[in-house]
Amino acid sequence: MKKKFSLIAMAGAALLLLTACGTTAVTSSSTNLWDQIVYGFAQVIRFLSFGGLTGVGIILFTIVIRAALLPLMNIQIKSSQRMQEIQPEIKKIQAKYPSKDMKSRRLMNEEIQKLYAENKVNPYMGCLPLVVQMPVLWALYQALSRVDFLKHGTFLWFEIGAKDPTFILPILAAVFTFLSSYLMMKSAPERNAMTTSMTYIMPIFILIMGVNFAAGIALYWVISNAFQVFQTMLLANPYKIIAAREAKVQVEKDKIKAREKALKKARKK
């Protein structure tokens, strides 16, 4: 989780850096490879902008990206669920090696890695969707700020290439970011301080960036995180997971009661 937080922080810093570089206009005649990618993104958005509405193009573009990432996100969700299930075992291993010396740390890490392998868990899988999305986000940002036919587009109450003056989009982006994180955390058998703090830190992080970046970027975050909320409820509904877990616990309790009842009958005989 700490590594994931570091990755998010670095990705945010890199995105902020983009606001200070690559300010020249991107056109069909641009020869730089990255500029060609940016222009390609802009062309896709323009193609999807039915009725000349760039906002519609961004919404459809976001849905296409999220749909393309769905198999990867499904793998990430399942990996996260398995990671949550083995947290009690990880805590036992950590308690087994309380010492901070190198040998203890090495043995602890070896046992944890073995546990990961036995349960087919990849602790880095949770970062992969973010890593995949960041180049898309960078290209989208530069398309909105450097490609003329996108930079001056309008949608509803805001200009695509300017900041949202009402802050509605940044707030919605933060709300959906919180909901997606909260729903993922809710199904966890155990919660730790880092996971809980990330649930509240990330929406603030998104809100700050949404306020300072183009409204088109904030619109992307709103649709992307709203899609993730829908995806979580569809593929990893926490309420169903909790109900299934409680039912499993109840079955075990019933078995114990039935066993105890059978033993009492046997003793009476």
Side-chain angles (χ1 to χ4, degrees):
M1 184 61 72
K2 289 181 180 179
K3 290 182 178 179
K4 184 177 180 180
F5 180 74
S6 299
L7 179 62
I8 291 169
M10 287 188 291
L15 191 58
L16 286 170
L17 182 63
L18 285 174
T19 62
C21 63
T23 55
T24 57
V26 173
T27 65
S28 57
S29 59
S30 297
T31 56
N32 180 280
L33 177 60
W34 175 250
D35 288 352
Q36 290 177 1
I37 292 172
V38 170
Y39 191 77
F41 272 49
Q43 288 284 61
V44 171
I45 292 172
R46 180 159 68 173
F47 174 77
L48 294 172
S49 299
F50 296 103
L53 297 173
T54 306
V56 172
I58 292 174
I59 291 171
L60 294 177
F61 174 82
T62 306
I63 293 173
V64 168
I65 293 296
R66 294 295 306 198
L69 289 174
L70 197 56
L72 180 61
M73 294 299 296
N74 190 28
I75 293 172
Q76 182 261 331
I77 287 172
K78 289 180 178 178
S79 179
S80 296
Q81 287 175 337
R82 287 195 292 268
M83 190 74 176
Q84 291 170 0
E85 295 296 335
I86 65 172
Q87 280 304 308
E89 295 301 318
I90 291 176
K91 287 187 176 182
K92 288 179 183 178
I93 294 173
Q94 291 171 338
K96 184 179 175 182
Y97 299 99
S99 179
K100 301 295 182 181
D101 61 272
M102 291 295 293
K103 184 179 179 180
S104 296
R105 296 291 94 184
R106 178 176 58 79
L107 291 172
M108 182 185 72
N109 288 331
E110 286 176 358
E111 285 201 33
I112 290 175
Q113 290 303 320
K114 183 180 178 181
L115 182 66
Y116 287 156
E118 290 173 350
N119 290 274
K120 298 180 181 180
V121 172
N122 186 340
Y124 301 103
M125 187 58 69
C127 303
L128 192 54
L130 174 67
V131 173
V132 172
Q133 284 187 81
M134 285 313 296
V136 175
L137 189 58
W138 295 341
L140 177 60
Y141 173 81
Q142 294 216 331
L144 294 173
S145 60
R146 299 176 62 194
V147 180
D148 190 65
F149 62 78
L150 288 187
K151 188 165 57 176
H152 301 297
T154 58
F155 184 64
L156 299 178
W157 68 88
F158 56 88
E159 291 186 17
I160 296 295
K163 299 174 185 178
D164 180 2
T166 64
F167 305 116
I168 292 174
L169 288 176
I171 290 171
L172 285 176
V175 168
F176 281 118
T177 299
F178 171 77
L179 285 176
S180 63
S181 299
Y182 174 78
L183 289 172
M184 287 297 295
M185 181 183 70
K186 187 174 180 61
S187 61
E190 294 184 11
R191 300 178 188 179
N192 56 56
M194 182 61 72
T195 303
T196 303
S197 62
M198 283 295 294
T199 301
Y200 295 97
I201 290 173
M202 275 306 296
I204 296 172
F205 183 71
I206 292 295
L207 177 62
I208 293 171
M209 289 199 295
V211 167
N212 289 283
F213 288 172
I217 293 290
L219 179 61
Y220 171 86
W221 274 322
V222 170
I223 303 303
S224 181
N225 284 295
F227 189 98
Q228 186 161 326
V229 169
F230 167 77
Q231 173 186 278
T232 301
M233 294 300 292
L234 180 67
L235 301 177
N237 189 312
Y239 301 100
K240 290 183 179 179
I241 292 172
I242 292 169
R245 188 181 298 135
E246 289 175 348
K248 186 178 178 180
V249 170
Q250 188 60 47
V251 167
E252 291 300 320
K253 287 181 179 179
D254 291 342
K255 284 181 180 179
I256 293 171
K257 287 181 179 179
R259 195 179 303 122
E260 290 174 348
K261 190 175 181 180
L263 286 172
K264 286 180 180 179
K265 286 184 178 179
R267 289 193 194 102
K268 287 179 180 179
K269 290 179 181 180

